[in-house]
């Protein structure tokens, strides 16, 4: 009997010394390296992503309190998959098997027709493209509402930046944002505050002793309109993730509480909205029937 890897078909793309592998299950970015040095923390093809490593987070990123929300007067309930906090975590698409639309040497495109379900009765099609070039890895995702009613929608991604051969505690972190999001004990947003102390990461900050699972908004951008999170290792190399104007929220996690592999990397998650957006409406997209929503982000080794 033929067997298949837990993460499904492996789709490798290359350009010079850039190499990435995307999996059919979840359209997950399983590995990305430059010249043999990992930019993200990889996982084996025969294991499940250990902490949403490389996942696509849609139709909501992060947490939805109690998995319950109201949309156009209807009470809806999605499965709670983080029972310790009674939240629905990271959407619905990461465990579906996506279809491969095109696979070239340096790019791959996958598509998922997400069917309506009792907790999310909306028909979306999501198409994601990963492409490598001299500039790094570029990702774009377009969601289209093919249903007869408007849909609530948000999206994010979950790369874990790699410290290379170093420890996270030996690295510095920079987050291009001026406002920190406060949370309750379930990590659901309660408000915002100007960055201060060890939540002010606008300059490279040593990570030793800093435990993060936090969000930032009011992002800052460079001359190209990009906002960045940078993890700099002692060898002078920096694993970096950027997002353009299509996303304006960062979630950053040092992984202190993820169990196996704690503090082996730093999750730097570009998102279109905050946690609990289905309930608060904060930055939530109302995706009209027939409409599309596109986001763009990428990774590189500096």
């Amino acid at each position: 009997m033929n067997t298949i890897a837990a993460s499904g078909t492996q789709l490798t793309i290359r350009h010079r010394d850039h190499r990435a592998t995307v999996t059919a299950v979840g359209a997950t970015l399983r590995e990305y390296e430059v010249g043999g040095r990992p930019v993200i923390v990889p996982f084996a093809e025969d294991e499940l992503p250990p902490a949403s490593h490389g996942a696509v987070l849609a139709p909501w990123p992060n947490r939805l309190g109690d998995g319950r929300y109201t949309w156009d007067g209807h009470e809806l309930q999605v499965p709670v998959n983080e029972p310790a906090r009674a939240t629905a975590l990271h959407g619905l698409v990461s465990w579906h098997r996506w279809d491969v639309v095109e696979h070239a040497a340096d790019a791959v495109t996958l598509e998922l027709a997400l069917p309506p379900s009792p907790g999310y009765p909306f028909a979306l099609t999501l198409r994601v493209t990963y492409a490598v070039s001299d500039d790094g890895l570029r990702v774009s995702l377009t969601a289209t509402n093919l249903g007869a009613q408007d849909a609530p929608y948000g999206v994010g991604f979950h790369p874990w930046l790699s410290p290379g051969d170093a420890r996270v505690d030996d690295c510095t972190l920079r987050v291009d944002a001026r406002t920190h999001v406060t949370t309750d004990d379930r990590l659901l947003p309660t408000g915002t505050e100007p960055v201060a102390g060890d939540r002010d990461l606008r300059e490279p900050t040593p990570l030793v002793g800093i435990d993060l699972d936090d969000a930032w908004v009011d992002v800052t951008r460079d001359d190209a309109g990009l906002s960045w999170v940078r993890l700099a290792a002692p060898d002078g190399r920096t694993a970096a993730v950027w997002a353009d104007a299509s996303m304006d929220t960062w979630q950053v996690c040092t992984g202190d509480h993820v169990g196996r592999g704690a503090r082996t990397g730093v999750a730097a998650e570009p998102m279109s909205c905050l946690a609990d957006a289905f309930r608060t409406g904060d930055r939530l997209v109302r995706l009209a029937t027939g409409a599309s929503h596109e986001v763009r982000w990428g990774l590189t080794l500096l």
Side-chain angles (χ1 to χ4, degrees):
M1 180 180 68
N2 293 328
T3 61
I4 190 167
S7 55
T9 303
Q10 307 294 301
L11 304 158
T12 298
I13 54 177
R14 293 182 174 87
H15 175 80
R16 296 185 179 176
D17 58 349
H18 297 257
R19 186 179 71 87
T21 300
V22 178
T23 70
V25 174
T28 299
L29 181 63
R30 187 172 69 79
E31 57 184 358
Y32 170 48
E33 62 182 32
V34 179
R37 187 199 190 279
V39 181
I40 61 170
V41 178
F43 63 95
E45 64 182 80
D46 59 352
E47 68 174 326
L48 299 177
S52 297
H53 281 53
V56 177
L57 316 176
W60 70 89
N62 212 290
R63 294 170 173 86
L64 171 58
D66 304 314
R68 187 180 304 121
Y69 65 104
T70 300
W71 184 253
D72 288 347
H74 298 283
E75 298 287 336
L76 297 167
Q77 175 74 58
V78 296
V80 169
N81 59 357
E82 191 186 34
R85 294 191 174 101
T87 70
L89 184 63
H90 291 336
L92 301 172
V93 307
S94 61
W95 304 113
H96 284 269
R97 200 176 301 277
W98 294 51
D99 294 323
V100 179
V101 176
E102 184 177 4
H103 185 193
D106 59 357
V108 62
T109 298
L110 302 95
E111 184 174 89
L112 173 68
L114 181 67
S117 59
Y120 191 78
F122 312 100
L124 303 186
T125 294
L126 299 99
R127 180 174 285 211
V128 63
T129 296
Y130 297 86
V132 285
S133 70
D134 289 339
D135 295 328
L137 175 72
R138 181 182 177 90
V139 186
S140 61
L141 184 145
T142 301
T144 303
N145 182 0
L146 299 181
Q149 57 184 319
D150 293 358
Y153 179 73
V155 63
F157 303 84
H158 212 300
W160 284 81
L161 298 179
S162 171
D165 294 331
R167 302 182 309 153
V168 165
D169 283 353
D170 298 326
C171 297
T172 64
L173 183 70
R174 175 178 162 180
V175 179
D176 289 350
R178 291 184 289 253
T179 300
H180 176 248
V181 179
T182 59
T183 60
D184 61 18
D185 59 0
R186 294 200 290 167
L187 299 182
L188 300 176
T190 58
T192 60
E193 60 186 5
V195 292
D198 62 11
R199 267 50 183 177
D200 183 355
L201 301 171
R202 291 174 293 176
E203 297 295 332
T205 302
L207 278 172
V208 61
I210 298 180
D211 177 0
L212 299 174
D213 198 347
D214 296 69
W216 282 261
V217 292
D218 193 18
V219 303
T220 58
R221 300 187 183 278
D222 63 15
D223 292 342
L226 306 180
S227 182
W228 294 80
V229 175
R230 298 173 173 90
L231 181 68
D235 65 0
R237 305 307 302 272
T238 298
V241 55
W242 58 264
D244 73 3
S246 62
M247 290 184 282
D248 63 358
T249 302
W250 288 111
Q251 180 80 20
V252 179
C253 179
T254 50
D256 290 57
H257 311 288
V258 301
R260 180 176 64 85
R263 289 186 79 84
T264 57
V266 174
E269 308 165 42
M271 304 188 301
S272 67
C273 60
L274 290 169
D276 223 22
F278 275 24
R279 301 203 304 174
T280 67
D282 191 358
R283 292 172 166 78
L284 185 67
V285 173
R286 185 179 187 95
L287 193 59
T289 179
S292 296
H293 179 268
E294 183 181 6
V295 294
R296 296 161 298 276
W297 67 281
L299 290 155
T300 194
L301 184 65
L302 301 174

